[in-house]
Amino acid sequence: MFFFWGSFFSAAQVSTEIDTTKIRVGEQINYKINVEADSLDLVVFPEGQTFMPLENVEALKIDTTKRQATFILSRIYKLTQFDSGAYTIPRQKVIIGEKPFFTDSLKVEVNTIVVDTTKQKLYDIKPIIEVEESGSDWWKWLLIAVLAIALVAFLLYWFIWRTKPLSEEEEIALLPPYDRAKLALKKLDESQLLMRAEVKEYYSELTFIIRKYLDEKVYDRALESTTSELIERLNLLKEGNQIPLSKETILHIESILRRADLVKFAKSAPDTALAEMDKSTIDKAIDHVKVCLPEPSEEEKLLDQKYKEAQERRKKRRKIWITVGISLFLIIATFVGFGIKYGFGYVKDTIIGHESKELLEGEWVKSAYGFPPVWIETPKVLKRVEPQVPEEAKAQVNMTTFAYGTMLDAFSVVINTTTLKTPKQQSPQGENTDKPTFDLVQVSEQTIKGFEAKGATDITVKRDKFITPNNAEGLKTFGTLNLKMPGTEHLIDAEYILLCFSNDNVLQQIVITWSKDDAYADEMIERITNSIELKSEEPEEEKE
């Protein structure tokens, strides 16, 4: 390897060096720019891909060397090319202070690698490798939904449907009246109220036990009646042969109730032994009432069973209504919450489903279609469609068509590439004429007539210049139209965009149609149009 010194400019202020002028495909060239400048001068070196048709692989950091009163600034660029041929590195612009300086252009040869097929092993073409689709996060949202439903179901079961353990009071309340009365007397005996001389509380509890039992089994107003009213009622029931109580039992009950009245209201204080005797008397009276009262008949038991079953059904219906009410509330609250945050239409489309929403939020595909390629990003892969070319035109043009959907669908994208088989016309002197091969305005008019042939009506037409992100310039034709659904008279308000590009003998067209009422179409169209890339200018290459 050796260094080839370039020319010097402006009193040797800017010079270039290159380590070789002949490389093989893919090898790199060290292209160096040297600048001699004053310490106060601002020096700006070339940046980016200014070495086309060679590719700038890497630009090293600027190296500074002091030489007497000036500085030598050097920067090395690593350049390469992957196609064989003879190329010219264009002049490079260097700014010193406010004045531009230009280097000289240099020629470089890129040679192919010679392969000896007698020694080099040859292999079959490798089969196509199937690539798995990248996974989505749908399972995370499913897991969150399942956990939320499980949590709500657990809370409903725990607070509504679960059979809760009964408290001691609830268990006592489920006992028959006789058993409750006997248990209450037992607890009264264990309360030790008499030992603490709390006679008033003792008699209050004792009379409540007998009144409660009589209220449930004999007279349903025993709790709210006075002693005289209760005794009078018991006597009337006995005389009417409605209760088989003995006269003696009624007298014992009356005696105890009146003594309790004296204790509660007259502050009487009977002896402890008398209080215990009264308790025993009440105990026997309860036994006597139980013995005297007849057993319920089978019909009464059946009615009681039916009553209990009806109560259970009412309780179950109540649980069902509570569950349904809570579930509806949670569903409505969730819908309203997400609707406020994301919009009610978006939430509705998420639940019910919307074709354009699924396309917008799905996995988009960026690919090249036709030749020269049209790079575009779309919700779905465009499939090759057999173009409808007249027989007389097949000898003159080649046409390829890639499409997703049709004009009658809710959303469609079509890419047409037309290539003339005959070369572009030249002038008698052998130079290309300035007149373009394709008139894009006329092409757009023919496409609009094609829309009409497919049943489109009320077409509005607007035109504007369209520039792709990589600076390819074309014609944009857009507007609205009405489409008739097949087999019906129903019209759909739709919009369209027609993008036309021409380059020598090639015409490239991109047609997008969508429903005017589609809330997600605008975002899709913007994403698609922003992704379109075509080569606006081919790099100039000089080949031997």
PDB file of all heavy atoms in Angstrom, residues 487-512:
ATOM      1  N   GLY A 487     -74.920  -5.347  -6.038  1.00  0.00           N
ATOM      2  CA  GLY A 487     -76.234  -5.934  -5.806  1.00  0.00           C
ATOM      3  C   GLY A 487     -77.187  -5.064  -5.031  1.00  0.00           C
ATOM      4  O   GLY A 487     -78.314  -5.482  -4.740  1.00  0.00           O
ATOM      5  N   THR A 488     -76.784  -3.853  -4.652  1.00  0.00           N
ATOM      6  CA  THR A 488     -77.661  -2.947  -3.897  1.00  0.00           C
ATOM      7  C   THR A 488     -77.590  -1.556  -4.501  1.00  0.00           C
ATOM      8  O   THR A 488     -76.763  -1.275  -5.370  1.00  0.00           O
ATOM      9  CB  THR A 488     -77.245  -2.891  -2.417  1.00  0.00           C
ATOM     10  OG1 THR A 488     -75.940  -2.285  -2.323  1.00  0.00           O
ATOM     11  CG2 THR A 488     -77.198  -4.276  -1.799  1.00  0.00           C
ATOM     12  N   GLU A 489     -78.481  -0.696  -4.012  1.00  0.00           N
ATOM     13  CA  GLU A 489     -78.476   0.697  -4.429  1.00  0.00           C
ATOM     14  C   GLU A 489     -77.819   1.582  -3.380  1.00  0.00           C
ATOM     15  O   GLU A 489     -77.845   2.810  -3.477  1.00  0.00           O
ATOM     16  CB  GLU A 489     -79.919   1.174  -4.670  1.00  0.00           C
ATOM     17  CG  GLU A 489     -80.614   0.455  -5.807  1.00  0.00           C
ATOM     18  CD  GLU A 489     -79.919   0.684  -7.149  1.00  0.00           C
ATOM     19  OE1 GLU A 489     -79.390   1.802  -7.357  1.00  0.00           O
ATOM     20  OE2 GLU A 489     -79.894  -0.246  -7.977  1.00  0.00           O
ATOM     21  N   HIS A 490     -77.229   0.959  -2.369  1.00  0.00           N
ATOM     22  CA  HIS A 490     -76.617   1.719  -1.273  1.00  0.00           C
ATOM     23  C   HIS A 490     -75.294   2.336  -1.721  1.00  0.00           C
ATOM     24  O   HIS A 490     -74.452   1.659  -2.298  1.00  0.00           O
ATOM     25  CB  HIS A 490     -76.387   0.802  -0.072  1.00  0.00           C
ATOM     26  CG  HIS A 490     -75.745   1.495   1.084  1.00  0.00           C
ATOM     27  ND1 HIS A 490     -76.335   2.538   1.758  1.00  0.00           N
ATOM     28  CD2 HIS A 490     -74.536   1.284   1.686  1.00  0.00           C
ATOM     29  CE1 HIS A 490     -75.538   2.942   2.726  1.00  0.00           C
ATOM     30  NE2 HIS A 490     -74.441   2.202   2.694  1.00  0.00           N
ATOM     31  N   LEU A 491     -75.125   3.631  -1.457  1.00  0.00           N
ATOM     32  CA  LEU A 491     -73.911   4.344  -1.823  1.00  0.00           C
ATOM     33  C   LEU A 491     -73.056   4.582  -0.587  1.00  0.00           C
ATOM     34  O   LEU A 491     -73.575   4.901   0.491  1.00  0.00           O
ATOM     35  CB  LEU A 491     -74.252   5.685  -2.479  1.00  0.00           C
ATOM     36  CG  LEU A 491     -74.946   5.624  -3.848  1.00  0.00           C
ATOM     37  CD1 LEU A 491     -75.277   7.027  -4.335  1.00  0.00           C
ATOM     38  CD2 LEU A 491     -74.070   4.901  -4.866  1.00  0.00           C
ATOM     39  N   ILE A 492     -71.756   4.445  -0.769  1.00  0.00           N
ATOM     40  CA  ILE A 492     -70.807   4.677   0.309  1.00  0.00           C
ATOM     41  C   ILE A 492     -70.004   5.930  -0.015  1.00  0.00           C
ATOM     42  O   ILE A 492     -69.440   6.055  -1.105  1.00  0.00           O
ATOM     43  CB  ILE A 492     -69.856   3.478   0.494  1.00  0.00           C
ATOM     44  CG1 ILE A 492     -70.640   2.231   0.874  1.00  0.00           C
ATOM     45  CG2 ILE A 492     -68.801   3.771   1.547  1.00  0.00           C
ATOM     46  CD1 ILE A 492     -69.764   0.991   0.993  1.00  0.00           C
ATOM     47  N   ASP A 493     -69.957   6.864   0.936  1.00  0.00           N
ATOM     48  CA  ASP A 493     -69.099   8.041   0.774  1.00  0.00           C
ATOM     49  C   ASP A 493     -67.665   7.622   1.053  1.00  0.00           C
ATOM     50  O   ASP A 493     -67.350   7.135   2.148  1.00  0.00           O
ATOM     51  CB  ASP A 493     -69.526   9.149   1.733  1.00  0.00           C
ATOM     52  CG  ASP A 493     -70.896   9.714   1.385  1.00  0.00           C
ATOM     53  OD1 ASP A 493     -71.258   9.626   0.205  1.00  0.00           O
ATOM     54  OD2 ASP A 493     -71.586  10.209   2.285  1.00  0.00           O
ATOM     55  N   ALA A 494     -66.790   7.809   0.081  1.00  0.00           N
ATOM     56  CA  ALA A 494     -65.404   7.358   0.204  1.00  0.00           C
ATOM     57  C   ALA A 494     -64.455   8.470  -0.204  1.00  0.00           C
ATOM     58  O   ALA A 494     -64.853   9.484  -0.785  1.00  0.00           O
ATOM     59  CB  ALA A 494     -65.162   6.109  -0.647  1.00  0.00           C
ATOM     60  N   GLU A 495     -63.191   8.271   0.129  1.00  0.00           N
ATOM     61  CA  GLU A 495     -62.119   9.173  -0.267  1.00  0.00           C
ATOM     62  C   GLU A 495     -61.029   8.360  -0.953  1.00  0.00           C
ATOM     63  O   GLU A 495     -60.941   7.140  -0.772  1.00  0.00           O
ATOM     64  CB  GLU A 495     -61.550   9.906   0.954  1.00  0.00           C
ATOM     65  CG  GLU A 495     -62.557  10.826   1.642  1.00  0.00           C
ATOM     66  CD  GLU A 495     -61.922  11.604   2.783  1.00  0.00           C
ATOM     67  OE1 GLU A 495     -60.951  12.354   2.520  1.00  0.00           O
ATOM     68  OE2 GLU A 495     -62.372  11.456   3.926  1.00  0.00           O
ATOM     69  N   TYR A 496     -60.183   9.058  -1.710  1.00  0.00           N
ATOM     70  CA  TYR A 496     -59.120   8.356  -2.421  1.00  0.00           C
ATOM     71  C   TYR A 496     -57.881   9.240  -2.495  1.00  0.00           C
ATOM     72  O   TYR A 496     -57.944  10.469  -2.372  1.00  0.00           O
ATOM     73  CB  TYR A 496     -59.559   7.968  -3.840  1.00  0.00           C
ATOM     74  CG  TYR A 496     -59.670   9.144  -4.787  1.00  0.00           C
ATOM     75  CD1 TYR A 496     -58.598   9.510  -5.610  1.00  0.00           C
ATOM     76  CD2 TYR A 496     -60.835   9.902  -4.853  1.00  0.00           C
ATOM     77  CE1 TYR A 496     -58.693  10.599  -6.468  1.00  0.00           C
ATOM     78  CE2 TYR A 496     -60.939  10.994  -5.696  1.00  0.00           C
ATOM     79  CZ  TYR A 496     -59.863  11.332  -6.507  1.00  0.00           C
ATOM     80  OH  TYR A 496     -59.952  12.412  -7.344  1.00  0.00           O
ATOM     81  N   ILE A 497     -56.748   8.587  -2.676  1.00  0.00           N
ATOM     82  CA  ILE A 497     -55.472   9.256  -2.970  1.00  0.00           C
ATOM     83  C   ILE A 497     -54.803   8.481  -4.097  1.00  0.00           C
ATOM     84  O   ILE A 497     -54.699   7.247  -4.033  1.00  0.00           O
ATOM     85  CB  ILE A 497     -54.542   9.291  -1.739  1.00  0.00           C
ATOM     86  CG1 ILE A 497     -55.048  10.300  -0.704  1.00  0.00           C
ATOM     87  CG2 ILE A 497     -53.122   9.674  -2.147  1.00  0.00           C
ATOM     88  CD1 ILE A 497     -54.188  10.377   0.538  1.00  0.00           C
ATOM     89  N   LEU A 498     -54.367   9.200  -5.121  1.00  0.00           N
ATOM     90  CA  LEU A 498     -53.642   8.606  -6.238  1.00  0.00           C
ATOM     91  C   LEU A 498     -52.286   9.300  -6.333  1.00  0.00           C
ATOM     92  O   LEU A 498     -52.213  10.510  -6.553  1.00  0.00           O
ATOM     93  CB  LEU A 498     -54.422   8.793  -7.549  1.00  0.00           C
ATOM     94  CG  LEU A 498     -53.671   8.485  -8.844  1.00  0.00           C
ATOM     95  CD1 LEU A 498     -53.229   7.026  -8.882  1.00  0.00           C
ATOM     96  CD2 LEU A 498     -54.519   8.828 -10.050  1.00  0.00           C
ATOM     97  N   LEU A 499     -51.201   8.550  -6.138  1.00  0.00           N
ATOM     98  CA  LEU A 499     -49.845   9.077  -6.221  1.00  0.00           C
ATOM     99  C   LEU A 499     -49.183   8.523  -7.477  1.00  0.00           C
ATOM    100  O   LEU A 499     -49.174   7.302  -7.684  1.00  0.00           O
ATOM    101  CB  LEU A 499     -49.032   8.680  -4.984  1.00  0.00           C
ATOM    102  CG  LEU A 499     -49.620   9.106  -3.631  1.00  0.00           C
ATOM    103  CD1 LEU A 499     -48.767   8.581  -2.499  1.00  0.00           C
ATOM    104  CD2 LEU A 499     -49.740  10.621  -3.539  1.00  0.00           C
ATOM    105  N   CYS A 500     -48.654   9.407  -8.295  1.00  0.00           N
ATOM    106  CA  CYS A 500     -48.015   8.999  -9.553  1.00  0.00           C
ATOM    107  C   CYS A 500     -46.575   9.495  -9.574  1.00  0.00           C
ATOM    108  O   CYS A 500     -46.307  10.662  -9.254  1.00  0.00           O
ATOM    109  CB  CYS A 500     -48.774   9.577 -10.750  1.00  0.00           C
ATOM    110  SG  CYS A 500     -50.478   8.998 -10.900  1.00  0.00           S
ATOM    111  N   PHE A 501     -45.660   8.598  -9.978  1.00  0.00           N
ATOM    112  CA  PHE A 501     -44.250   8.922 -10.118  1.00  0.00           C
ATOM    113  C   PHE A 501     -43.769   8.376 -11.462  1.00  0.00           C
ATOM    114  O   PHE A 501     -44.174   7.287 -11.877  1.00  0.00           O
ATOM    115  CB  PHE A 501     -43.411   8.301  -8.995  1.00  0.00           C
ATOM    116  CG  PHE A 501     -43.889   8.653  -7.615  1.00  0.00           C
ATOM    117  CD1 PHE A 501     -44.846   7.865  -6.970  1.00  0.00           C
ATOM    118  CD2 PHE A 501     -43.392   9.763  -6.959  1.00  0.00           C
ATOM    119  CE1 PHE A 501     -45.284   8.183  -5.699  1.00  0.00           C
ATOM    120  CE2 PHE A 501     -43.820  10.084  -5.684  1.00  0.00           C
ATOM    121  CZ  PHE A 501     -44.778   9.298  -5.053  1.00  0.00           C
ATOM    122  N   SER A 502     -42.895   9.121 -12.126  1.00  0.00           N
ATOM    123  CA  SER A 502     -42.343   8.633 -13.393  1.00  0.00           C
ATOM    124  C   SER A 502     -40.840   8.849 -13.392  1.00  0.00           C
ATOM    125  O   SER A 502     -40.338   9.831 -12.843  1.00  0.00           O
ATOM    126  CB  SER A 502     -42.982   9.350 -14.582  1.00  0.00           C
ATOM    127  OG  SER A 502     -42.629  10.727 -14.575  1.00  0.00           O
ATOM    128  N   ASN A 503     -40.141   7.900 -14.003  1.00  0.00           N
ATOM    129  CA  ASN A 503     -38.688   7.974 -14.097  1.00  0.00           C
ATOM    130  C   ASN A 503     -38.277   7.267 -15.378  1.00  0.00           C
ATOM    131  O   ASN A 503     -38.381   6.039 -15.474  1.00  0.00           O
ATOM    132  CB  ASN A 503     -38.035   7.319 -12.879  1.00  0.00           C
ATOM    133  CG  ASN A 503     -36.532   7.447 -12.896  1.00  0.00           C
ATOM    134  OD1 ASN A 503     -35.972   8.178 -13.719  1.00  0.00           O
ATOM    135  ND2 ASN A 503     -35.873   6.741 -12.004  1.00  0.00           N
ATOM    136  N   ASP A 504     -37.851   8.041 -16.390  1.00  0.00           N
ATOM    137  CA  ASP A 504     -37.504   7.498 -17.702  1.00  0.00           C
ATOM    138  C   ASP A 504     -38.683   6.702 -18.259  1.00  0.00           C
ATOM    139  O   ASP A 504     -39.722   7.262 -18.554  1.00  0.00           O
ATOM    140  CB  ASP A 504     -36.237   6.648 -17.616  1.00  0.00           C
ATOM    141  CG  ASP A 504     -35.014   7.512 -17.310  1.00  0.00           C
ATOM    142  OD1 ASP A 504     -35.079   8.721 -17.587  1.00  0.00           O
ATOM    143  OD2 ASP A 504     -34.027   6.980 -16.787  1.00  0.00           O
ATOM    144  N   ASN A 505     -38.545   5.404 -18.378  1.00  0.00           N
ATOM    145  CA  ASN A 505     -39.582   4.573 -18.994  1.00  0.00           C
ATOM    146  C   ASN A 505     -40.448   3.851 -17.958  1.00  0.00           C
ATOM    147  O   ASN A 505     -41.105   2.871 -18.276  1.00  0.00           O
ATOM    148  CB  ASN A 505     -38.938   3.536 -19.915  1.00  0.00           C
ATOM    149  CG  ASN A 505     -38.180   4.192 -21.048  1.00  0.00           C
ATOM    150  OD1 ASN A 505     -38.620   5.202 -21.576  1.00  0.00           O
ATOM    151  ND2 ASN A 505     -37.036   3.635 -21.403  1.00  0.00           N
ATOM    152  N   VAL A 506     -40.445   4.314 -16.716  1.00  0.00           N
ATOM    153  CA  VAL A 506     -41.166   3.632 -15.643  1.00  0.00           C
ATOM    154  C   VAL A 506     -42.222   4.566 -15.059  1.00  0.00           C
ATOM    155  O   VAL A 506     -41.936   5.741 -14.776  1.00  0.00           O
ATOM    156  CB  VAL A 506     -40.207   3.165 -14.528  1.00  0.00           C
ATOM    157  CG1 VAL A 506     -40.983   2.500 -13.403  1.00  0.00           C
ATOM    158  CG2 VAL A 506     -39.171   2.206 -15.101  1.00  0.00           C
ATOM    159  N   LEU A 507     -43.438   4.060 -14.883  1.00  0.00           N
ATOM    160  CA  LEU A 507     -44.534   4.772 -14.226  1.00  0.00           C
ATOM    161  C   LEU A 507     -44.942   3.972 -12.996  1.00  0.00           C
ATOM    162  O   LEU A 507     -45.225   2.782 -13.092  1.00  0.00           O
ATOM    163  CB  LEU A 507     -45.736   4.933 -15.165  1.00  0.00           C
ATOM    164  CG  LEU A 507     -47.016   5.493 -14.534  1.00  0.00           C
ATOM    165  CD1 LEU A 507     -46.807   6.935 -14.086  1.00  0.00           C
ATOM    166  CD2 LEU A 507     -48.191   5.400 -15.506  1.00  0.00           C
ATOM    167  N   GLN A 508     -44.951   4.636 -11.857  1.00  0.00           N
ATOM    168  CA  GLN A 508     -45.343   3.990 -10.595  1.00  0.00           C
ATOM    169  C   GLN A 508     -46.560   4.710 -10.033  1.00  0.00           C
ATOM    170  O   GLN A 508     -46.559   5.935  -9.903  1.00  0.00           O
ATOM    171  CB  GLN A 508     -44.180   4.024  -9.597  1.00  0.00           C
ATOM    172  CG  GLN A 508     -42.973   3.211 -10.061  1.00  0.00           C
ATOM    173  CD  GLN A 508     -41.712   3.564  -9.295  1.00  0.00           C
ATOM    174  OE1 GLN A 508     -41.335   4.724  -9.227  1.00  0.00           O
ATOM    175  NE2 GLN A 508     -41.058   2.566  -8.728  1.00  0.00           N
ATOM    176  N   GLN A 509     -47.593   3.928  -9.695  1.00  0.00           N
ATOM    177  CA  GLN A 509     -48.840   4.488  -9.189  1.00  0.00           C
ATOM    178  C   GLN A 509     -49.215   3.793  -7.877  1.00  0.00           C
ATOM    179  O   GLN A 509     -49.080   2.566  -7.738  1.00  0.00           O
ATOM    180  CB  GLN A 509     -49.976   4.277 -10.192  1.00  0.00           C
ATOM    181  CG  GLN A 509     -49.800   5.020 -11.505  1.00  0.00           C
ATOM    182  CD  GLN A 509     -50.860   4.607 -12.499  1.00  0.00           C
ATOM    183  OE1 GLN A 509     -50.759   3.553 -13.126  1.00  0.00           O
ATOM    184  NE2 GLN A 509     -51.894   5.439 -12.637  1.00  0.00           N
ATOM    185  N   ILE A 510     -49.682   4.578  -6.935  1.00  0.00           N
ATOM    186  CA  ILE A 510     -50.180   4.068  -5.649  1.00  0.00           C
ATOM    187  C   ILE A 510     -51.581   4.621  -5.460  1.00  0.00           C
ATOM    188  O   ILE A 510     -51.780   5.843  -5.439  1.00  0.00           O
ATOM    189  CB  ILE A 510     -49.274   4.495  -4.482  1.00  0.00           C
ATOM    190  CG1 ILE A 510     -47.837   4.016  -4.719  1.00  0.00           C
ATOM    191  CG2 ILE A 510     -49.807   3.936  -3.160  1.00  0.00           C
ATOM    192  CD1 ILE A 510     -46.841   4.567  -3.722  1.00  0.00           C
ATOM    193  N   VAL A 511     -52.561   3.727  -5.340  1.00  0.00           N
ATOM    194  CA  VAL A 511     -53.961   4.116  -5.186  1.00  0.00           C
ATOM    195  C   VAL A 511     -54.451   3.619  -3.828  1.00  0.00           C
ATOM    196  O   VAL A 511     -54.328   2.430  -3.514  1.00  0.00           O
ATOM    197  CB  VAL A 511     -54.839   3.538  -6.306  1.00  0.00           C
ATOM    198  CG1 VAL A 511     -56.273   4.035  -6.161  1.00  0.00           C
ATOM    199  CG2 VAL A 511     -54.278   3.905  -7.673  1.00  0.00           C
ATOM    200  N   ILE A 512     -54.993   4.534  -3.009  1.00  0.00           N
ATOM    201  CA  ILE A 512     -55.530   4.188  -1.698  1.00  0.00           C
ATOM    202  C   ILE A 512     -56.960   4.703  -1.628  1.00  0.00           C
ATOM    203  O   ILE A 512     -57.221   5.870  -1.928  1.00  0.00           O
ATOM    204  CB  ILE A 512     -54.698   4.811  -0.559  1.00  0.00           C
ATOM    205  CG1 ILE A 512     -53.207   4.495  -0.737  1.00  0.00           C
ATOM    206  CG2 ILE A 512     -55.184   4.314   0.793  1.00  0.00           C
ATOM    207  CD1 ILE A 512     -52.312   5.217   0.245  1.00  0.00           C
TER     208      ILE A 512
END
